[in-house]
Amino acid sequence: MKNIYLIGMPSSGKSTLGKELARSLGFSFTDMDKLIETREQKTISEIFSTYGEAHFRELERKTLHGFQPDQSMVIATGGGVPCFFDNMDYMKKNGISIFLNVELDDLAKRLYKAQGNNRPLLDKSQSEEAVIATIKKTFEERLPFYKQADIQVDGEISVNQLLWLIESYVPVQ
Ligand SMILES: Nc1ncnc2c1ncn2[C@@H]1O[C@H](COP(=O)(O)OP(=O)(O)OP(=O)(O)O)[C@@H](O)[C@H]1O
Ligand SMILES: O=C(O)C1=C[C@@H](O)[C@@H](O)[C@H](O)C1
Ligand SMILES: [Mg+2]
C-alpha cells in the first residue's frame, strides 16, 4: 500500500495521530525527526547548532527520498519538510499526504505543555508572545505548501474519522 505522509506545524499531532493511524492500518510508523537523530547520533538542536539549518534540510530531503514508495508506512514528517526543495511534490507523487491543520492558539498551548525544548525553530526560552508571533509567521509562510496536501484535516480528528477520509480518497484494502 501507498505510504502516508503526515504534514503540519510542530505540535499539530503528527506523531500522536501517526502512531495510532499506523496501528489501525497495520502499517509501520516512522518519525523523520527521530530517524534523523538516530542516524546522525545527534539531537535536531545539535544538528542545527553544529551544521546549520541548510544542512538539516538536506538531511531531511535525503531521508524523505530514501523511503521506498508503496511500503505501507505512516511517516510523521518534520514540520518544515513540505516547504523545502521538491519535497511536497515528492510526497504527492509517492503516497497520500495529509495536512493536520490546528488553530494557532491550540498549537501554542500544546507547545507550552510539551516537556523539554528540542525544537530549535520554536524556542520556549523566549516570552510567550514572541513564541506565538513566531508560530504565526511561520504558519503563514508554510500554509501555501501545507495546503497542497491530498487531504486536509481541520482541528481535532479521531483515527476512525481519518481512516474514513483516507478510504474515501483512495480505497485502502
Ligand atoms: N488532538 C489532540 N488534542 C490535544 N492534544 C494533542 C492532540 N494531538 C496531539 N496532542 C498533543 O500535542 C503535543 C504535540 O503532539 P505531537 O508530538 O503528536 O505533534 P507533532 O506534530 O508530532 O509535533 P513535532 O513536530 O514537534 O514532532 C503532544 O503533547 C500531544 O499529546
Ligand atoms: O518546523 C520545523 O521547521 C521543524 C520541525 C521539527 O519537526 C524538526 O524537524 C525541526 O525542529 C524543524
Ligand atoms: Mg512529532
Side-chain angles (χ1 to χ4, degrees):
M1 299 296 297
K2 281 186 171 201
N3 294 340
I4 294 175
Y5 301 94
L6 296 181
I7 69 171
M9 290 286 283
S11 284
S12 57
K14 302 179 296 288
S15 302
T16 308
L17 203 58
K19 280 179 204 153
E20 288 181 49
L21 181 64
R23 208 176 305 123
S24 300
L25 287 168
F27 281 25
S28 61
F29 173 77
T30 299
D31 189 309
M32 281 183 62
D33 286 332
K34 291 223 168 78
L35 183 59
I36 291 173
E37 286 183 333
T38 304
R39 284 184 179 160
E40 299 301 308
Q41 291 291 291
K42 283 189 171 50
T43 64
I44 304 281
S45 292
E46 285 167 349
I47 298 171
F48 268 70
S49 60
T50 311
Y51 305 112
E53 181 177 351
H55 177 79
F56 175 70
R57 299 302 175 194
E58 292 283 356
L59 287 176
E60 278 187 321
R61 182 180 182 279
K62 235 194 293 173
T63 305
L64 181 72
H65 285 244
F67 296 127
Q68 296 297 310
D70 304 321
Q71 289 295 298
S72 304
M73 295 167 81
V74 174
I75 298 161
T77 64
V81 165
C83 317
F84 292 86
F85 312 110
D86 57 347
N87 293 346
M88 194 66 228
D89 288 342
Y90 179 86
M91 288 187 275
K92 285 175 69 70
K93 212 163 106 189
N94 289 291
I96 302 172
S97 49
I98 303 175
F99 168 32
L100 302 183
N101 186 26
V102 175
E103 290 276 332
L104 290 175
D105 281 355
D106 290 335
L107 281 179
K109 274 186 219 138
R110 288 186 197 179
L111 205 74
Y112 269 90
K113 256 202 249 160
Q115 294 297 305
N117 178 12
N118 62 351
R119 291 290 176 259
L121 296 184
L122 291 165
D123 181 355
K124 283 197 286 185
S125 65
Q126 294 178 337
S127 72
E128 189 165 345
E129 290 73 28
V131 172
I132 290 169
T134 305
I135 297 172
K136 188 169 187 298
K137 183 169 173 287
T138 307
F139 179 73
E140 282 164 3
E141 286 167 1
R142 291 181 172 181
L143 204 49
F145 296 96
Y146 291 157
K147 285 234 167 231
Q148 294 173 38
D150 299 313
I151 296 172
Q152 175 171 331
V153 170
D154 296 313
E156 282 184 34
I157 189 170
S158 69
V159 174
N160 281 343
Q161 287 169 313
L162 188 54
L163 284 171
W164 184 84
L165 286 177
I166 294 167
E167 280 163 11
S168 312
Y169 178 73
V170 178
V172 177
Q173 288 151 21

